[in-house]
Amino acid sequence: MNANDNTSSPAVVRVAPSPTGDPHVGTAYMALFNYALAQTTGGRFILRIEDTDRTRYQEDSERQITEALTWLGLSYHEGPDVGGPNGPYRQSERTDIYRENTQTLIDNGTAYRCFCTPERLAELRRAQRARKEPPGYDGLCRGLLPEEVEAKLAENTPFVIRLKVPKDRAVVFHDELRGDVEIEGKTIDDQVLLKSDGFPTYHLANVVDDHLMEVTDVIRAEEWITSTPKHVLLYEAFGWEKPRFRHMPLLRNKDKSKISKRKNPTSLIWYKENGYLPEALLNFLALMGYSSPDGEEMFDLASMLRDFDVKRISTSSPVFDMDKLLWLNGEYIRADSEANLTQRVLDHLAYRRERGLEPDAAEADVLAWIDANGGLDGDAARDFVGRTMPLVQERIKTLQEYAPLTRCFFASDVSGYAQEEMVPKKRNAGEVEDLLRGIVGALEKLESWDTASIEALLRSLCEEYSWKPRELFQPVRVAVTGSKISPPLFETMELLGRETTLARLGAAVEV
Ligand code: GLU
């Protein structure tokens, strides 16, 4: 039993992306809320591919959509790759169904054939623009007599099928999140339902499928709210029961415009490639429309489902704030176990390689070491990455940040730094050189090579040389790790071992 107060009956919901490019964060956002409603009511979640716009269709897009949903853990009960009782789940494979159903509308007089040529329609639009009128079909073919229609059909005149929108009344529907929405029929165009090539438009296919797939609840983005009156008219024309509608607020850029890839990465695959964790991304997307009852910002999918209440969805425009996502991602990384995170880092590197992504210098060094030591699924890689994990887990916010921070453990040579990086303010190169010689000498004699001993020794050298710790650690850090930013220094030196550490300090003296 659910403690929450959702619609008591099992909800059948769907996400219906169009395969027109990279899988979009908006698809995951919609999928998440639909999934949550299905899960918390014991219902069903459907993936339907709306691929009837063949001009915008992109070959690999459907595979990427399913990959992204799987990555996020938003599994669907029915879909093109898993099947189900009401398939097919690709609209391009359902064109017969749409054609048959439009015939019902022709027969009952709620739709009509329109034989207007593209030239006439273009001329109509031009004239409307000139008169500063909103564009729309003027209804010429609404009044064709049956024998006129027959004659055109006999001549094989191409036609589309349009919805006969009642112009003399308003269309009203209820949005469960927003209340009643009312729109005057005269402002609604006689929507094309079936194009001359026999392909349906979004509106027809969407309504027919939602009905035949037994969808009870439509949760979709706000941008479709202007389409809903047409859908409502279609449900009425077919004599079908309407689903419940909920229009979610659009994700927005910081400037409040609709989220766009010019201002934010919008491809789910981008987040995967760049080392975001699916649970962090889901949590972040959940926050875009939902708050947990206790006000906690960090909640995983399981805890969201525990107290999910569809009535708590908020309609205020959420801003897609990458800094916040990065913060959340870091929180999830910190909350993970070392062993699991180790595996995730390795899987991440493997995924990037498989995708053919060009590694940067740090990633290339990490991969080279791993390849030379038994590969990404070998024990050596797991052990060694595991040993670095306690040093970096607190310091990385994405899996992708692992390689730059740990490069010093994997690279055979870190000496690409500039000499100045080793010289603290108010010190000169000569002083640094003397210091480093002293440090090398002392470290050579250090009895036990462990973090505590290394730290004690370096701190005692600070006093001996009258250098502040921060000053003294800088050249050591740069020499040993190749960068001013590194994992904690003493632990790093321990893990690198005496030989490598001394060799790098020695090389720095030469610089
Ligand atoms: N194909 C539409 C989209 O790409 C579906 C909208 C809806 O859910 O009705 O978002």
Side-chain angles (χ1 to χ4, degrees):
M1 268 289 287
N2 282 304
N4 56 48
D5 183 27
N6 282 340
T7 39
S8 46
S9 50
V12 179
V13 295
R14 77 327 187 252
V15 66
S18 297
T20 53
D22 288 345
H24 198 274
V25 283
T27 297
Y29 174 54
M30 284 311 110
L32 170 63
F33 283 91
N34 279 291
Y35 175 88
L37 184 60
Q39 290 296 321
T40 52
T41 58
R44 281 182 290 135
F45 174 46
I46 302 170
L47 170 64
R48 182 171 73 226
I49 300 295
E50 301 209 328
D51 58 348
T52 56
D53 185 348
R54 302 314 279 180
T55 55
R56 294 178 60 222
Y57 178 78
Q58 276 192 29
E59 189 61 40
D60 198 34
S61 184
E62 178 186 318
R63 194 197 53 75
Q64 291 194 33
I65 290 168
T66 53
E67 178 192 324
L69 292 178
T70 306
W71 174 61
L72 289 166
L74 299 174
S75 53
Y76 34 92
H77 302 93
E78 297 170 34
D81 51 340
V82 299
N86 297 315
Y89 294 92
R90 264 179 221 110
Q91 290 187 328
S92 58
E93 294 167 14
R94 299 172 64 81
T95 46
D96 288 346
I97 301 176
Y98 308 126
R99 249 188 307 258
E100 281 161 31
N101 279 282
T102 358
Q103 190 56 45
T104 313
L105 303 185
I106 297 270
D107 294 344
N108 74 16
T110 52
Y112 61 96
R113 293 190 182 83
C114 168
F115 299 91
C116 291
T117 60
E119 295 71 35
R120 173 171 193 272
L121 296 175
E123 175 53 28
L124 182 64
R125 269 195 300 277
R126 199 200 52 74
Q128 285 165 335
R129 245 197 317 273
R131 292 196 300 271
K132 300 212 160 41
E133 287 170 13
Y137 183 57
D138 61 357
L140 182 68
C141 292
R142 264 177 102 131
L144 287 181
L145 300 170
E147 48 277 24
E148 290 174 309
V149 171
E150 285 313 319
K152 299 243 186 223
L153 290 177
E155 289 162 17
N156 282 326
T157 316
F159 63 88
V160 300
I161 294 180
R162 291 184 184 271
L163 180 65
K164 200 180 278 176
V165 174
K167 305 288 176 180
D168 52 354
R169 65 170 171 99
V171 181
V172 187
F173 70 92
H174 185 71
D175 181 302
E176 306 286 325
L177 303 173
R178 297 160 192 269
D180 285 343
V181 179
E182 186 175 325
I183 178 157
E184 286 303 324
K186 58 177 176 291
T187 65
I188 306 173
D189 197 16
D190 276 5
Q191 178 64 50
V192 173
L193 303 176
L194 207 63
K195 295 180 264 189
S196 53
D197 60 3
F199 261 67
T201 57
Y202 154 71
H203 307 280
L204 175 73
N206 193 270
V207 166
V208 168
D209 287 349
D210 281 346
H211 173 73
L212 294 179
M213 294 177 183
E214 299 162 350
V215 168
T216 59
D217 291 78
V218 167
I219 304 181
R220 65 179 162 210
E222 191 181 349
E223 62 191 316
W224 301 104
I225 204 162
T226 50
S227 299
T228 308
K230 294 176 184 170
H231 300 182
V232 167
L233 287 171
L234 275 170
Y235 283 103
E236 289 172 3
F238 281 117
W240 292 339
E241 197 184 325
K242 293 191 287 289
R244 280 179 289 269
F245 292 106
R246 295 181 184 85
H247 291 90
M248 297 286 295
L250 283 183
L251 301 176
R252 293 183 187 274
N253 299 312
K254 274 194 175 152
D255 63 9
K256 294 273 171 183
S257 57
K258 177 184 162 187
I259 192 170
S260 62
K261 58 179 168 213
R262 276 181 299 108
K263 299 194 173 141
N264 278 298
T266 54
S267 162
L268 291 167
I269 301 296
W270 185 92
Y271 289 93
K272 188 173 178 192
E273 288 176 353
N274 285 281
Y276 286 81
L277 304 185
E279 60 269 43
L281 186 55
L282 278 185
N283 188 159
F284 176 69
L285 291 172
L287 288 174
M288 302 279 102
Y290 195 73
S291 49
S292 73
D294 55 12
E296 272 299 321
E297 294 231 285
M298 191 173 163
F299 50 85
D300 63 10
L301 186 56
S303 48
M304 175 175 175
L305 294 183
R306 250 190 314 279
D307 50 39
F308 182 73
D309 178 354
V310 77
K311 294 196 190 66
R312 290 182 59 84
I313 293 178
S314 115
T315 52
S316 61
S317 355
V319 172
F320 198 92
D321 178 353
M322 287 294 287
D323 296 333
K324 178 133 183 199
L325 173 56
L326 198 57
W327 166 77
L328 257 181
N329 209 63
E331 293 294 301
Y332 276 94
I333 283 186
R334 270 186 287 291
D336 208 350
S337 70
E338 276 171 20
N340 202 42
L341 197 55
T342 298
Q343 192 54 50
R344 290 186 116 167
V345 163
L346 292 166
D347 292 346
H348 176 65
L349 290 167
Y351 173 74
R352 287 180 55 86
R353 171 172 279 178
E354 195 185 294
R355 295 270 303 164
L357 298 169
E358 191 60 46
D360 64 11
E363 196 174 332
D365 281 337
V366 172
L367 284 170
W369 186 97
I370 290 176
D371 289 340
N373 288 275
L376 280 162
D377 38 58
D379 291 341
R382 198 167 315 109
D383 289 350
F384 192 61
V385 170
R387 289 174 65 195
T388 64
M389 207 45 80
L391 280 63
V392 299
Q393 184 167 10
E394 295 287 321
R395 290 175 167 74
I396 55 174
K397 292 203 188 74
T398 64
L399 301 175
Q400 188 59 17
E401 287 177 0
Y402 175 80
L405 195 59
T406 57
R407 180 184 192 184
C408 60
F409 299 117
F410 296 91
S412 46
D413 177 16
V414 295
S415 64
Y417 50 83
Q419 188 196 330
E420 307 81 72
E421 287 185 68
M422 278 196 292
V423 184
K425 278 195 210 92
K426 299 191 202 145
R427 301 282 179 184
N428 61 45
E431 288 173 288
V432 172
E433 190 184 327
D434 290 343
L435 172 80
L436 287 178
R437 279 187 207 284
I439 292 176
V440 169
L443 285 173
E444 273 168 351
K445 285 187 247 108
L446 186 64
E447 232 163 76
S448 160
W449 191 261
D450 58 67
T451 299
S453 313
I454 296 167
E455 174 166 11
L457 177 75
L458 289 184
R459 289 198 188 277
S460 75
L461 290 173
C462 288
E463 283 181 25
E464 194 176 310
Y465 283 78
S466 299
W467 282 51
K468 291 195 196 93
R470 204 161 26 87
E471 286 180 318
L472 183 132
F473 298 156
Q474 180 180 334
V476 178
R477 187 186 305 279
V478 173
V480 170
T481 72
S483 167
K484 281 203 254 186
I485 300 159
S486 80
L489 183 58
F490 319 121
E491 282 89 340
T492 298
M493 290 166 74
E494 178 186 324
L495 185 55
L496 279 171
R498 194 192 306 253
E499 203 185 316
T500 304
T501 305
L502 290 177
R504 289 183 183 177
L505 287 166
V509 173
E510 298 308 314
V511 174

